[in-house]
Amino acid sequence: MSTSRKPPEPVHLVKHRRDKALSALVDGVPYIRFMGIGFDRRGDELTAVMNYDDKLIGNPLIPALHGGATASFLEVAAIVELSFQMLWDDIETGRLDVETLTPDALPRLPKTIDFTVDYLRSGLPRDAYARARVNRSGRRYASVHVEAWQDNRDKLFAQATGHFLMPQREG
Amino acid sequence: MAETRHINAEQKAQIARQFIEAIPFSKALNMQFEVIGDGVAQISMPYSEALVGDPRTGVIHGGAVSALMDTCGGAAVMSYPDAPAGTATIDLRIDYMRAAEPGQRITARAECYHVTRSVAFVRAKAWDLDEDQPLASASGAFTIAQGKAAEVKP
């Protein structure tokens, strides 16, 4: 048994690697940019943030976010969470070379099979947050639940469940 | 009689245009009304680079297709005879049967097939090149607003 332990990697390198991988997943997708969606990362936990913009409104009289904007936000949050989890081990072991990582070099993304959105209250004209949980991720299929809120974490304004077809990975 | 129908059709088309103009998100996606009336709505959306979900293939993001289906479902509910002009989505399920063809306009048609005093039930489908080869289908429930205060008078 060896007594020499590998020294822990400097924290800035760890963060850099994880953030690079996340931005490769997110920055290359035009629709995520169009929607003004970004991601906060704490370790492996992601929070999707949809910055308010007037174009996201569906009913100007209330005013309320468009159901389609909410659905898009939830679906983006679900796919990025699932993809980030799928890549996590490769990011941590360094198998994924983040320095040369471009959206083209990433493994293919999961494909949505179905997505069901539950609208709990109308979306207010302000920033929205979402967190997704992968309930099951097999070799071929994954089931993801996602919750979105605005000012108050306990008052969800929408939630969704989606099923995804996982990309076939070589090796 | 025929003339009355003609006026109604024109008025309906005008309401339909105003409807999209009044919805910022639908306007941002360049949605366009094609057919509306009696609980059926057909809306299309042009291909745009900004809506791409997979940069490698150029395929439109599922979320944009959801937005089209949701708008179309809401329009179908509002066009249902005697339904009030306001509605909100309660739930919407989308099944993605295949990827949309890059570069192609996507069209959705929604049908409000049953209405109670409080709820409207809708099914919808979306296609690009051929209506008989849908790329997605949807089903959902929408609210029926109580009271007629919000009704649109052309």
Side-chain angles (χ1 to χ4, degrees), chain B residues 36-145:
Chain B
I36 186 162
D38 297 334
V40 175
Q42 187 170 315
I43 303 179
S44 70
M45 176 176 80
Y47 181 82
S48 163
E49 305 265 328
L51 307 184
V52 167
D54 185 346
R56 258 189 294 192
T57 56
V59 169
I60 295 230
H61 197 281
V65 178
S66 293
L68 178 65
M69 296 281 228
D70 186 74
T71 306
C72 202
V77 173
M78 287 163 65
S79 78
Y80 195 85
D82 300 326
T87 185
T89 320
I90 297 171
D91 90 315
L92 190 68
R93 174 193 164 111
I94 316 246
D95 294 326
Y96 296 98
M97 280 111 84
R98 64 173 171 87
E101 281 300 322
Q104 293 300 323
R105 173 176 281 275
I106 299 175
T107 306
R109 180 154 65 226
E111 180 204 356
C112 178
Y113 63 91
H114 187 75
V115 170
T116 72
R117 278 201 304 178
S118 322
V119 186
F121 298 93
V122 170
R123 50 181 158 241
K125 68 171 181 174
W127 67 93
D128 40 25
L129 297 165
D130 179 0
E131 190 179 337
D132 294 327
Q133 303 278 321
L135 60 95
S137 67
S139 70
F142 288 74
T143 63
I144 293 284

Side-chain angles (χ1 to χ4, degrees), chain A residues 32 66 90 102 124 133 152:
Chain A
I32 298 182
H66 194 288
D90 288 349
T102 61
L124 303 169
R133 186 181 69 236
N152 191 330

Side-chain angles (χ1 to χ4, degrees), chain A residues 34-36 50-57 65 125-127:
Chain A
F34 173 81
M35 294 296 299
M50 182 164 72
N51 294 299
Y52 176 72
D53 189 285
D54 288 343
K55 77 176 176 198
L56 301 176
I57 290 295
L65 295 180
R126 54 189 80 146
D127 292 356

Side-chain angles (χ1 to χ4, degrees), chain A residues 53-124:
Chain A
D53 189 285
D54 288 343
K55 77 176 176 198
L56 301 176
I57 290 295
N59 186 336
L61 298 175
I62 299 181
L65 295 180
H66 194 288
T70 300
S72 295
F73 178 47
L74 292 168
E75 195 175 328
V76 165
I79 292 177
V80 171
E81 173 70 36
L82 185 58
S83 304
F84 194 59
Q85 241 183 59
M86 180 181 91
L87 295 179
W88 181 259
D89 285 345
D90 288 349
I91 299 167
E92 292 308 287
T93 56
R95 245 193 320 258
L96 197 68
D97 180 9
V98 295
E99 293 314 319
T100 59
L101 201 57
T102 61
D104 281 347
L106 276 177
R108 302 205 57 103
L109 299 175
K111 277 191 208 152
T112 314
I113 299 168
D114 60 60
F115 202 71
T116 307
V117 184
D118 196 356
Y119 295 92
L120 303 171
R121 39 172 71 79
S122 63
L124 303 169

